[in-house]
Amino acid sequence: MITLQNVTKHYRKKAVYEKCSLEIPTAGMTLFIGQNGIGKSTLLKMIAGIEKPDAGTILYDGVQWSANERKKRIGYVPQEIALWEHMTVDENLAFFKGLLKETIDDELIAYYLKKLSIEQERKTVVKKLSGGTQRKVNLIIGLLAKPTILILDEPTVGIDLKSRTEIQHVLHELSATCTVLLTTHLLDEIEAFTDNIVLIGEDTFYRDMLEEKNIAYTKL
Ligand SMILES: Nc1ncnc2c1ncn2[C@@H]1O[C@H](COP(=O)(O)OP(=O)(O)OP(=O)(O)O)[C@@H](O)[C@H]1O
């Protein structure tokens, strides 16, 4: 269980979270949904340890993790592409592997490249790849450290249906052994990943939509 206890986060005068508490199961996949600007990315960044809450505590299976533990155990895949664009896919993978102490082995990397249909692109420089392919490489980078928690901020934004399906399959598979947390604005993803949905904010559109589709959710 990932537990948020009385978490408060402000940006200048804007209160994004005010004494918020939430329990997120570590089994399976959790989707965070809600309108633009409501605080989904902020929440994921706080769980990943990239942003610090102003007050409150985040516990991982009942304990607080040090910055080092979070770095070791949490894979974070940002919304924006975080790759070296003048380097090839293989060079990027080697570079990011080099920053880590323990990583997944090359066979597993080859497995993900194949599952995501990008094994032909290994020698291509990133700037020549489509946005969708870059996003897939971004995802594999997030998996390199063998995370026990994988956090993805809109992992399938702006990519075609086939690629989205491939990413969804990989995430489903991963969620059997790893906690997967992600944000999405896509209805088909909300319907496909109904393990655990957290609705952020008060907008009734989302609540009505989930209730109409009979999808259970937790409110934050
Ligand atoms: N570094 C920052 N400095 C100042 N304000 C910020 C910062 N990061 C986020 N915010 C503000 O905090 C609020 C929540 O932002 P956040 O990015 O978490 O929302 P979101 O739900 O992920 O949005 P979207 O769906 O558009 O990605 C927004 O009002 C945003 O402008």
Side-chain angles (χ1 to χ4, degrees), residues 114-170:
K114 190 162 189 306
K115 275 282 222 185
L116 296 169
S117 304
I118 54 170
E119 74 267 54
Q120 309 296 338
E121 316 286 358
R122 297 185 75 142
K123 307 284 176 227
T124 308
V125 285
V126 164
K127 68 176 170 210
K128 290 195 179 160
L129 297 173
S130 70
T133 304
Q134 292 183 7
R135 207 155 270 285
K136 290 174 176 178
V137 180
N138 224 27
L139 165 61
I140 299 176
I141 302 285
L143 298 177
L144 288 177
K146 272 192 230 176
T148 51
I149 301 174
L150 178 67
I151 298 181
L152 310 106
D153 203 346
E154 293 191 48
T156 58
V157 73
I159 66 174
D160 69 38
L161 195 53
K162 176 172 178 274
S163 293
R164 250 168 56 203
T165 308
E166 287 167 348
I167 291 178
Q168 287 167 3
H169 281 158
V170 166

Side-chain angles (χ1 to χ4, degrees), residues 93 97 103-116 122 140 143-147 170 173-174 177:
L93 290 166
K97 266 184 96 170
T103 62
I104 57 173
D105 54 34
D106 290 341
E107 285 74 36
L108 197 50
I109 293 178
Y111 171 80
Y112 288 130
L113 287 163
K114 190 162 189 306
K115 275 282 222 185
L116 296 169
R122 297 185 75 142
I140 299 176
L143 298 177
L144 288 177
K146 272 192 230 176
V170 166
E173 209 175 276
L174 279 163
T177 52

Side-chain angles (χ1 to χ4, degrees), residues 24-25 27-32 179-183 195-198:
I24 304 164
M29 182 145 22
T30 298
L31 247 77
F32 296 88
T179 306
V180 178
L181 312 182
L182 66 120
T183 61
D195 280 0
N196 185 31
I197 301 217
V198 177

